[in-house]
Amino acid sequence: MRIVILLVSSFILLFGGEYELRLYEKVLPMLYNEKTIKVFPDYTTKSDLEKSTVLNVVDNCYEADVLIGKKFHNMRDGCEAKPIFATSYKSYKKHKSVIGAFYWRKGRPQISFRKDNIKKFNLTLPDSLKRYAQ
């Protein structure tokens, strides 16, 4: 039993970032109705997002369509008004401009969207994702 738990844990650690990347590559273009999205990640997600062919990682938040991550306390003026796709439940609840979140809770993936912010930023939530909106 311990071997199975160890193997599953190792698999999640090794491929967890790729799973999240694939999710971002599918969800964000649907929200923005664009093929390529400019993202500004926090330092914890940058290395994973740089592997993407759909998401274009930019060096400053002014150029970005969306910010992705969980740690954005030292944002420059004007950046706090950008939409945020959170990577933790705490960030999802904390930031006012969060449009959605993907995070892990008790070992299970969770995805949520905020209807009011999606409307505020003129984004479109596809029918397949509306059941995750609050």
Side-chain angles (χ1 to χ4, degrees):
M1 182 67 174
R2 288 182 184 193
I3 294 174
V4 172
I5 292 172
L6 182 63
L7 287 173
V8 170
S9 299
S10 298
F11 181 79
I12 290 172
L13 289 174
L14 287 173
F15 300 106
E18 288 182 27
Y19 177 77
E20 292 174 16
L21 178 62
R22 287 191 305 238
L23 180 117
Y24 299 138
E25 287 178 335
K26 289 193 186 277
V27 170
L28 292 175
M30 287 192 290
L31 285 172
Y32 282 87
N33 292 321
E34 294 181 20
K35 290 184 180 180
T36 304
I37 308 297
K38 294 179 188 172
V39 298
F40 179 73
D42 68 353
Y43 66 91
T44 61
T45 57
K46 186 173 184 175
S47 61
D48 289 334
L49 295 177
E50 287 177 333
K51 299 172 189 171
S52 175
T53 57
V54 176
L55 306 175
N56 182 14
V57 177
V58 294
D59 293 328
N60 64 58
C61 60
Y62 300 113
E63 298 175 28
D65 296 319
V66 64
L67 312 178
I68 298 178
K70 61 182 167 186
K71 300 204 180 203
F72 289 108
H73 6 281
N74 298 330
M75 284 193 276
R76 299 177 186 165
D77 292 338
C79 292
E80 61 273 344
K82 292 274 188 176
I84 296 174
F85 198 87
T87 58
S88 73
Y89 180 75
K90 187 176 178 180
S91 297
Y92 178 69
K93 290 295 185 186
K94 179 181 176 182
H95 295 289
K96 293 179 182 176
S97 60
V98 168
I99 57 171
F102 177 73
Y103 53 92
W104 295 86
R105 179 180 265 179
K106 296 181 182 178
R108 296 181 181 162
Q110 305 287 316
I111 189 164
S112 298
F113 296 96
R114 286 195 186 152
K115 287 182 194 177
D116 55 338
N117 284 350
I118 287 174
K119 190 177 272 189
K120 173 184 165 185
F121 290 110
N122 297 318
L123 302 175
T124 305
L125 191 62
D127 291 336
S128 61
L129 297 174
K130 285 188 179 177
R131 66 182 173 163
Y132 303 109
Q134 301 175 0

